[in-house]
Amino acid sequence: MSGGYGVHSIRSEQVDNIGYIAQAVSGPTQTQLQTREGNKMWMEIFLGFVALFLALYFYVTKNFNRYKELGVPYEKGVFPFGSYDFIFGGHFDIQTEKIHKKFENEKYFGHFMFGKPMVGINDPDILKMIQVKDFDHFVDRTSPETNKKFFAGGDLDALWGKQLTSLGGEDWKEVRGAFTPIFTSGKMKGMVKFIMQVSEDLTNEFDKKAEDGEEFELKDVFGKFSLDALASSAFGVNGESFTNDKSVFVKHAQRIFQTKPIDIMHLILRMMPGSQYVYGGLKINSTAPVATKFFKDIITQSIRMRKESKERKNDLIDLMLDVIKEDHKEEAAVDEDEDQYEKDMKLSNIGKRKKQIDEDLVVATAMVLLVAGYDTTGITLSYLSYQLSKNEEVQTRLQEEIDQAFEEAGGKFPDYNVIQSLPYLDMVLHETLRVYSPVGANLRNCEKDYKLPDSNIYLKKGDGISYNARTLHSDPKHWSHPDEFYPEHFSKEEKANRNP
């Protein structure tokens, strides 16, 4: 038995050995080949991501030593956002204010926007030179490459790329020149009727809340006012902000100003090299697409109805449609409210534009008016009211000036030119904007090499500059009462003593 068992065991081992030898001779099995190919593929993908990460890291950090080498004070750059933290650092406007205040005693300092070298400027005399005398070096707010990164994609993102604040170079000059005559005094005078209607809704809202004795957020009420004023004077529609608690107009306007996690994700993705080709190829809309489509549809519908019905409301839609028309002579002959400046502006643009003004540009311009006016107007009026409640003397003086204007108008709403000429109202508004600047951060892109005055800093084409309005507006070198709400900052005497 034992002998038989031993022979059987030896033979089994020999069979196994023969199997192993046969397998070695014939090569790996199909399963093993697939496993190896799979491992190889994952390794290649991993190495591809590593290579992409290293390329992005080098692309972002390659200029991080520039200001150290120049001996210029600077805010250290950190991958991937440079001197900023776009995830946990709070609003960009606040971050720029903190950085500018950190270097408030320096004429210049360096910082980085992702990998882009930026020079922060805190000297108003130098800013005046850059914004006026040498403006041809700093026409664009951002570089064309940055605009392509942010607005490449579907048709809705393309609209944001056509707005005036996104255009650059000759395109910016052409579009700005085309639409500038819309905002002169004669045209604005015609808008007063829209503001008067919405103002009645505002006073009725305040009366209602006063009767109810309830607390409320000023920003909400003035936000409704600014939105309805813009909707009627720009789009020719009723925003229904005061009459409809579920107004879709309000809902979509608020969405444009919200920053959601998906917006941050798109921001990060768009900063990656080559992202514009992916977004453009796949036609991805990433800038509040639902809200953008809502406003696009409203404006295009208004344009279509005006063309079909020939109705004129003399709102901004009508005025911008006039720009599209080739013949302006008829309008020029009948518009009695134009002053000589407006007539010159109109004549200077007729037949000289190389860029054709189309409906997309009208839609984009109307949308940027909403973005520029909605939140900023609501915030400014809210802070103005807050300060009037704290400063009874200012409130009384302003009320007396306005009451006198109504009295001189026979109890009716004062004329546009009268409102523009009220000195104390002008002082109070300017002081509100000084203390509570709606937009602090301002950026400019260098279009051609430029040496900053009184420095060894040479800006290359594509570099950027920044300045922060809030930092300048709180500098005691320029304001007698920088930490107070003091409308006299804008009296003739104080303005004469302030430079620039």
Side-chain angles (χ1 to χ4, degrees):
M1 292 289 294
S2 62
Y5 179 80
V7 171
H8 175 74
S9 179
I10 291 171
R11 286 178 178 173
S12 297
E13 291 177 3
Q14 289 174 339
V15 171
D16 291 341
N17 290 336
I18 292 171
Y20 293 145
I21 293 170
Q23 183 178 352
V25 172
S26 63
T29 64
Q30 185 66 26
T31 302
Q32 289 174 322
L33 285 173
Q34 290 176 347
T35 302
R36 291 180 185 178
E37 287 298 321
N39 291 339
K40 181 181 178 182
M41 180 188 70
W42 283 112
M43 180 59 70
E44 289 174 349
I45 292 174
F46 172 74
L47 292 175
F49 274 111
V50 170
L52 180 64
F53 174 81
L54 291 175
L56 179 63
Y57 183 85
F58 175 75
Y59 174 78
V60 171
T61 62
K62 62 183 179 181
N63 291 310
F64 278 3
N65 286 326
R66 173 184 290 191
Y67 299 115
K68 182 179 181 181
E69 294 168 355
L70 290 173
V72 175
Y74 69 101
E75 182 72 8
K76 185 175 67 172
V78 178
F79 179 84
F81 301 125
S83 304
Y84 299 88
D85 182 351
F86 290 108
I87 298 179
F88 304 109
H91 197 285
F92 173 70
D93 217 40
I94 303 301
Q95 291 190 64
T96 58
E97 181 183 2
K98 289 180 179 177
I99 291 177
H100 274 264
K101 282 190 174 180
K102 181 177 179 180
F103 298 94
E104 61 183 351
N105 294 321
E106 304 287 345
K107 273 189 177 182
Y108 306 108
F109 67 92
H111 58 112
F112 303 92
M113 185 81 66
F114 292 91
K116 181 175 181 174
M118 305 285 294
V119 174
I121 301 175
N122 288 327
D123 189 312
D125 289 306
I126 293 171
L127 280 174
K128 183 179 180 181
M129 185 179 298
I130 287 173
Q131 295 282 63
V132 181
K133 179 175 176 290
D134 298 327
F135 184 70
D136 60 314
H137 289 74
F138 302 95
V139 174
D140 296 347
R141 296 175 183 274
T142 55
S143 67
E145 294 76 21
T146 300
N147 282 333
K148 287 178 182 177
K149 277 182 173 293
F150 278 107
F151 301 117
D155 60 328
L156 300 177
D157 278 6
L159 280 177
W160 292 108
K162 291 182 178 181
Q163 62 181 328
L164 195 57
T165 53
S166 301
L167 294 174
E170 290 300 317
D171 287 345
W172 175 81
K173 292 179 183 177
E174 293 277 344
V175 176
R176 185 179 186 275
F179 288 127
T180 293
I182 292 175
F183 300 100
T184 48
S185 59
K187 298 295 189 297
M188 292 296 100
K189 187 176 181 179
M191 301 285 172
V192 172
K193 61 179 181 290
F194 300 112
I195 309 300
M196 289 173 61
Q197 293 170 2
V198 181
S199 296
E200 289 184 13
D201 294 335
L202 176 65
T203 53
N204 292 336
E205 181 78 1
F206 278 135
D207 289 341
K208 179 178 178 298
K209 291 188 179 298
E211 290 174 5
D212 295 342
E214 61 178 277
E215 293 185 357
F216 61 94
E217 286 287 342
L218 272 175
K219 173 65 168 55
D220 291 341
V221 177
F222 281 123
K224 292 178 179 180
F225 168 76
S226 62
L227 189 60
D228 279 4
L230 284 163
S232 58
S233 59
F235 303 152
V237 299
N238 183 1
E240 299 181 336
S241 299
F242 288 106
T243 57
N244 184 359
D245 293 336
K246 297 181 180 179
S247 169
V248 290
F249 213 96
V250 175
K251 172 187 172 184
H252 290 300
Q254 290 175 340
R255 171 61 186 98
I256 289 176
F257 290 94
Q258 292 173 347
T259 301
K260 295 187 175 182
I262 192 171
D263 300 322
I264 298 174
M265 182 194 75
H266 281 299
L267 173 67
I268 296 171
L269 291 175
R270 282 187 176 278
M271 291 311 299
M272 292 184 177
S275 63
Q276 65 267 33
Y277 303 112
V278 177
Y279 276 82
L282 298 177
K283 304 296 182 185
I284 299 172
N285 290 304
S286 62
T287 309
V290 175
T292 301
K293 186 177 186 305
F294 171 79
F295 288 112
K296 177 189 176 184
D297 290 345
I298 282 182
I299 300 166
T300 52
Q301 183 180 1
S302 295
I303 292 172
R304 186 174 65 253
M305 291 175 64
R306 304 290 173 87
K307 287 183 175 179
E308 292 174 354
S309 66
K310 306 298 183 183
E311 178 190 8
R312 279 191 68 89
K313 295 185 178 181
N314 287 320
D315 54 15
L316 286 178
I317 292 291
D318 278 338
L319 298 177
M320 287 189 283
L321 284 175
D322 289 340
V323 176
I324 299 178
K325 298 176 183 177
E326 294 181 358
D327 187 3
H328 297 257
K329 294 180 181 179
E330 181 180 351
E331 184 189 2
V334 299
D335 194 344
E336 299 177 354
D337 288 327
E338 289 183 343
D339 57 24
Q340 189 58 46
Y341 170 76
E342 294 176 60
K343 295 175 182 176
D344 291 343
M345 284 296 299
K346 180 178 289 187
L347 290 171
S348 69
N349 284 291
I350 295 177
K352 294 185 178 181
R353 290 194 298 270
K354 298 177 183 177
K355 186 177 181 65
Q356 183 179 2
I357 305 299
D358 55 20
E359 286 190 10
D360 277 353
L361 280 170
V362 170
V363 173
T365 304
M367 285 175 57
V368 78
L369 289 175
L370 171 72
V371 173
Y374 166 52
D375 205 47
T376 52
T377 302
I379 288 174
T380 300
L381 292 175
S382 299
Y383 280 125
L384 187 152
S385 300
Y386 169 69
Q387 285 295 343
L388 290 180
S389 70
K390 291 181 62 180
N391 296 273
E392 187 175 348
E393 183 180 341
V394 174
Q395 180 182 159
T396 302
R397 182 176 170 185
L398 179 61
Q399 184 69 59
E400 289 174 352
E401 182 180 76
I402 293 173
D403 287 344
Q404 183 179 351
F406 271 87
E407 184 179 340
E408 292 174 355
K412 297 180 180 179
F413 200 88
D415 180 78
Y416 172 83
N417 293 326
V418 172
I419 298 171
Q420 291 292 100
S421 65
L422 297 177
Y424 198 65
L425 175 62
D426 185 75
M427 290 164 60
V428 171
L429 279 170
H430 275 86
E431 180 65 358
T432 304
L433 292 169
R434 181 192 74 84
V435 180
Y436 306 104
S437 301
V439 180
N442 288 270
L443 309 176
R444 287 284 168 185
N445 188 66
C446 185
E447 301 303 310
K448 44 190 175 181
D449 293 356
Y450 181 79
K451 181 182 182 296
L452 288 169
D454 304 324
S455 77
N456 63 339
I457 304 175
Y458 287 84
L459 294 176
K460 300 177 182 179
K461 181 179 179 180
D463 290 348
I465 65 167
S466 71
Y467 59 96
N468 191 279
R470 294 193 187 98
T471 305
L472 294 168
H473 290 173
S474 59
D475 191 336
K477 294 193 294 289
H478 311 299
W479 311 97
S480 58
H481 301 73
D483 300 323
E484 299 178 24
F485 185 82
Y486 186 68
E488 297 301 320
H489 280 142
F490 294 93
S491 64
K492 290 182 179 180
E493 296 76 17
E494 290 229 8
K495 286 196 291 187
N497 293 328
R498 188 164 53 243
N499 179 57

